[in-house]
C-alpha cells in the first residue's frame, strides 16, 4: 500500500470513528426539559415549612417525583407520588436527535395507559396525533422575512378549525416583546409583554380579557438577573392584588435547579413567609 493511500485510509478511519462517537454522545439538551447535561436521574423531595418560635422550620421530606433518563438521553420517565408515598401516575417522553419531543405517554398509578401523543414536525408545521394516529392539533409558525424572529403562531384542532392566533410585536427600541392571543373570532384573549433584558432583571406583564374586551385580570412577574429571586402578583380587573407569590431558586454548576423555596404572602404581617421547599437531587452520568 502506498504512503498516500495509507494516509487516505487512516483519515477515513478517523472520520468513521468521529462519526460513531457523535452518534453515541448522549443527548444533553431537550426542548421543554429544564435539566441540562448528562443527567441520569432527578429525585424531587418536598417539605412543608412552619414557623416555630418565630423561625421557619422544615418538616419531614417526602418523595414527590422521580425522573430517570435513558443512557442516550432521548427518553425520560417520571413517576409522581402522593403524600402517602403511593405512585399517582407516570409520564414517558421520547425525543429525537435534536432534542425535540416526538412522543409522550401517560399512565395511572397502577401502570394502566391513559394517553399517548405523537409529535410530527414538517417545516413550520407541528402536528400532534393521538395513539390511534388521529390528528389532535396542528400548530403553524410564521416568521419574519429574515426568519430570525417568530411573528405569529396559529393553532388548529384536528378538524382544521382555528383555535387561536398568537401574534408577536416589538417596540421601536427592540426592548419589549409583546404577544397577543386572539380567539377564533378575532377577539383578544390575552396580552403578555416581556422585557428583552437578557442580562438584567426580568419583567413579564400579563392582561386577560373577557369576550367583550373588558379586562378580566392580570399578572405581573419579576425576577433578578440571575433568576434566583422571583415574585408575582395576580390582580383583579381593577388591578387590586388577589394573590402574591415569591420563589427563591438555587442552581448547581451546570445551572440545573437543586432547590426551590416557595413563599406566600402573610396579610397580617404584610410580608412573605416560607411555606414549602423542594429539593432536586441530581445524579449525573460519569
Amino acid at each position: 500500500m502506498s504512503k498516500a493511500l495509507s494516509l487516505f485510509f487512516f483519515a477515513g478511519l478517523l472520520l468513521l470513528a468521529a462519526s460513531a462517537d457523535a452518534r453515541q454522545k448522549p443527548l444533553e439538551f431537550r426542548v421543554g426539559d429544564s435539566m441540562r447535561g448528562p443527567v441520569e436521574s432527578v429525585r424531587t423531595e418536598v417539605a412543608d415549612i412552619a414557623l416555630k418560635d418565630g423561625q421557619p422550620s422544615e418538616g419531614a421530606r417526602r418523595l414527590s417525583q422521580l425522573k430517570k433518563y435513558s443512557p442516550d438521553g432521548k427518553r425520560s420517565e417520571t413517576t409522581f407520588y402522593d403524600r402517602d408515598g403511593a405512585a399517582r401516575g407516570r409520564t414517558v417522553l421520547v425525543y429525537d436527535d435534536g432534542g425535540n419531543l416526538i412522543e409522550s405517554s401517560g399512565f395511572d398509578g397502577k401502570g394502566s395507559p391513559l394517553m399517548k401523543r405523537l409529535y410530527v414536525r414538517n417545516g413550520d408545521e407541528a402536528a400532534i396525533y393521538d395513539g390511534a394516529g388521529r390528528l389532535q392539533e396542528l400548530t403553524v409558525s410564521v416568521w419574519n422575512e429574515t426568519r430570525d424572529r417568530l411573528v405569529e403562531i396559529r393553532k388548529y384542532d384536528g378538524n382544521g378549525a382555528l383555535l387561536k392566533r398568537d401574534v408577536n410585536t416589538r417596540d421601536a427600541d427592540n426592548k419589549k416583546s409583546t404577544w397577543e392571543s386572539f380567539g377564533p373570532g378575532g377577539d383578544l384573549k390575552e396580552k403578555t409583554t416581556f422585557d428583552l433584558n437578557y442580562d438584567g432583571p426580568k419583567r413579564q406583564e400579563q392582561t386577560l380579557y373577557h369576550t367583550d374586551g373588558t379586562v378580566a385580570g392580570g399578572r405581573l412577574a419579576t425576577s433578578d438577573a440571575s433568576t434566583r429571586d422571583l415574585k408575582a402578583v395576580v390582580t383583579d380587573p381593577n388591578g387590586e392584588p388577589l394573590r402574591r407569590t415569591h420563589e427563591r431558586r438555587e442552581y448547581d454548576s451546570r445551572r440545573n435547579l437543586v432547590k426551590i423555596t416557595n413563599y406566600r404572602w402573610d396579610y397580617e404581617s404584610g410580608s412573605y413567609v416560607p411555606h414549602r421547599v423542594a429539593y432536586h437531587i441530581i445524579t449525573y452520568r460519569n
Side-chain angles (χ1 to χ4, degrees), residues 173-220:
D173 297 326
N174 203 36
K175 292 184 178 181
K176 291 183 180 295
S177 173
T178 299
W179 281 97
E180 292 179 302
S181 296
F182 298 90
D187 52 314
L188 180 62
K189 297 289 188 181
E190 180 182 323
K191 181 178 180 179
T192 306
T193 299
F194 304 85
D195 285 346
L196 299 177
N197 186 14
Y198 302 109
D199 298 323
K202 313 293 188 299
R203 178 185 174 92
Q204 174 185 331
E205 190 169 356
Q206 179 186 46
T207 305
L208 304 177
Y209 298 89
H210 293 298
T211 54
D212 62 0
T214 58
V215 175
R219 182 176 183 269
L220 175 63

Side-chain angles (χ1 to χ4, degrees), residues 120-195:
V120 179
R121 292 167 181 81
N122 182 21
D124 293 330
E125 294 186 352
I128 301 177
Y129 298 85
D130 64 13
R134 294 183 294 261
L135 179 64
Q136 299 294 296
E137 187 176 284
L138 177 67
T139 300
V140 179
S141 299
V142 181
W143 300 80
N144 61 359
E145 293 182 357
T146 55
R147 290 191 67 84
D148 59 358
R149 183 169 67 86
L150 193 60
V151 297
E152 186 174 337
I153 300 175
R154 302 169 190 157
K155 187 172 292 186
Y156 302 85
D157 66 15
N159 296 316
L162 180 67
L163 295 174
K164 72 169 186 172
R165 293 170 55 242
D166 295 331
V167 180
N168 180 254
T169 56
R170 300 281 182 94
D171 67 341
D173 297 326
N174 203 36
K175 292 184 178 181
K176 291 183 180 295
S177 173
T178 299
W179 281 97
E180 292 179 302
S181 296
F182 298 90
D187 52 314
L188 180 62
K189 297 289 188 181
E190 180 182 323
K191 181 178 180 179
T192 306
T193 299
F194 304 85
D195 285 346

Side-chain angles (χ1 to χ4, degrees), residues 1-14:
M1 183 181 292
S2 67
K3 182 177 181 181
L5 188 58
S6 297
L7 290 174
F8 179 80
F9 180 73
F10 181 67
L13 289 177
L14 288 178

Side-chain angles (χ1 to χ4, degrees), residues 44-46 62-66 79-82 88:
T44 301
E45 298 178 354
V46 299
R62 60 183 182 276
L63 179 61
S64 172
Q65 66 181 53
L66 179 61
T79 303
F80 303 91
Y81 297 89
D82 289 323
R88 183 174 72 251

Side-chain angles (χ1 to χ4, degrees), residues 244-261:
R244 301 174 186 265
T245 60
H246 183 199
E247 182 176 294
R248 290 187 183 276
R249 299 180 176 182
E250 297 179 21
Y251 303 86
D252 65 10
S253 60
R254 296 179 183 271
R255 189 64 183 177
N256 283 326
L257 272 171
V258 293
K259 183 180 179 181
I260 303 175
T261 305

Side-chain angles (χ1 to χ4, degrees), residues 219-222 230-234 243-247 262-265 272 275:
R219 182 176 183 269
L220 175 63
T222 59
L230 299 87
K231 294 181 180 179
V233 179
V234 177
R243 186 172 70 256
R244 301 174 186 265
T245 60
H246 183 199
E247 182 176 294
N262 293 111
Y263 299 75
R264 57 187 173 193
W265 185 257
Y272 288 103
H275 77 101

